[in-house]
């Protein structure tokens, strides 16, 4: 497999980020994941475990490469482990404000009101099939007061993962430990 810089540039224009995944003497090129890719992979994981997650992610992101990476366990298993690097998103910053909580990701912000038990209950009802990330999306839509344009894109993991992380932190500000007596 011989890939040219021109081909890589074309892929970048088409997909955004492009990654090379070399495994010993084989190599693959993967596009940068979007939330829809993560949703598909997490749905596969719910049904088939971690291996299914890896298979779905590699297949969803695959642009070109040596098929052994997808089909041969000697190549697939280490490739699957490398996918964890796609989860390195910036930590959100959370600040209290007069109108609620300010969530800042890469300098962009949104403000959400305090999340209640009823908000969570309603968001869960909007996701009866328990599809990945739909409850978080519904919850955010219910509690958001204001947001920069970057938070509009539900398919941008650079903002969605830190946003969901912040919302989770805001729901669990107090720490509890169950102790057996």
């Amino acid at each position: 497999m011989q890939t040219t810089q021109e081909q890589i540039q074309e892929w970048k224009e088409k997909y955004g980020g492009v990654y090379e995944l070399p495994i010993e003497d084989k190599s693959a090129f993967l596009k940068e994941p979007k939330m829809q890719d993560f949703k598909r992979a997490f749905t596969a994981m719910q049904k088939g475990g971690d291996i299914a997650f890896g298979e779905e992610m590699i297949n969803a992101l695959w642009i070109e490469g040596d098929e052994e990476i997808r089909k041969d366990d000697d190549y697939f298993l280490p490739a699957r482990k490398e996918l964890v690097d796609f989860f390195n998103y910036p930590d959100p910053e959370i600040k209290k404000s007069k109108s609620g909580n300010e969530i800042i990701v890469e300098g962009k912000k949104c403000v959400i009101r305090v999340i209640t038990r009823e908000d969570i209950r309603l968001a869960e009802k909007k996701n009866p099939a328990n599809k990945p990330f739909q409850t978080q999306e519904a919850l955010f839509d219910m509690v958001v007061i204001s947001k920069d344009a970057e938070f509009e894109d539900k398919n941008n993991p650079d903002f969605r993962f830190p946003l969901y992380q912040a919302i989770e932190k805001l729901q669990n500000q107090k720490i509890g430990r169950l102790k057996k007596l």
Side-chain angles (χ1 to χ4, degrees), residues 138-165:
L139 182 60
F140 177 65
D141 289 343
M142 290 169 35
V143 300
V144 67
I145 296 170
S146 64
K147 59 188 170 188
D148 286 341
E150 288 77 3
F151 290 94
E152 291 284 341
D153 186 356
K154 293 182 179 183
N155 202 25
N156 183 347
D158 293 332
F159 284 89
R160 286 290 154 162
F161 275 117
L163 171 65
Y164 298 155
Q165 179 185 7

Side-chain angles (χ1 to χ4, degrees), residues 6 10 27 47 59 77 86 160 173 177:
E6 291 81 24
E10 285 179 31
S27 188
K47 296 175 184 174
N59 287 330
L77 295 173
F86 284 129
R160 286 290 154 162
Q173 293 182 49
R177 300 273 185 248

Side-chain angles (χ1 to χ4, degrees), residues 13-157:
E13 290 170 14
K14 183 175 181 179
Y15 301 115
V18 174
Y19 295 82
E20 183 176 11
L21 177 59
I23 307 291
E24 295 286 332
D25 60 327
K26 306 294 180 194
S27 188
F29 289 91
L30 307 175
K31 68 180 181 150
E32 188 170 45
K34 302 294 184 199
M35 285 304 293
Q36 66 192 23
D37 301 315
F38 286 113
K39 288 176 183 180
R40 285 176 48 191
F42 277 101
T43 298
M45 185 171 76
Q46 286 176 328
K47 296 175 184 174
D50 289 345
I51 293 293
F53 176 89
E55 290 169 338
E56 187 60 39
M57 278 298 280
I58 287 176
N59 287 330
L61 304 179
W62 190 268
I63 299 173
E64 175 178 284
D66 293 301
E67 284 296 322
E68 290 88 346
I69 292 175
R70 290 201 271 198
K71 296 180 178 171
D72 184 330
D73 288 350
D74 288 339
Y75 292 95
F76 169 77
L77 295 173
R80 177 181 71 102
K81 291 289 187 192
E82 288 300 307
L83 297 177
V84 76
D85 285 348
F86 284 129
F87 290 96
N88 291 330
Y89 293 102
D91 287 333
E93 183 181 344
I94 303 171
K95 294 180 179 178
K96 294 274 186 207
S97 71
K98 289 181 182 178
S99 56
N101 293 292
E102 205 172 271
I103 299 171
I104 303 164
V105 178
E106 296 182 3
K108 305 299 181 186
K109 73 177 184 176
C110 67
V111 178
I112 65 169
R113 65 173 172 74
V114 172
I115 298 168
T116 67
R117 184 184 324 191
E118 189 59 25
D119 293 328
I120 297 168
R121 185 176 288 123
L122 289 171
E124 288 172 346
K125 281 185 178 180
K126 291 181 179 186
N127 187 13
N130 198 26
K131 292 183 178 179
F133 307 114
Q134 282 193 342
T135 299
Q136 294 93 329
E137 287 176 8
L139 182 60
F140 177 65
D141 289 343
M142 290 169 35
V143 300
V144 67
I145 296 170
S146 64
K147 59 188 170 188
D148 286 341
E150 288 77 3
F151 290 94
E152 291 284 341
D153 186 356
K154 293 182 179 183
N155 202 25
N156 183 347

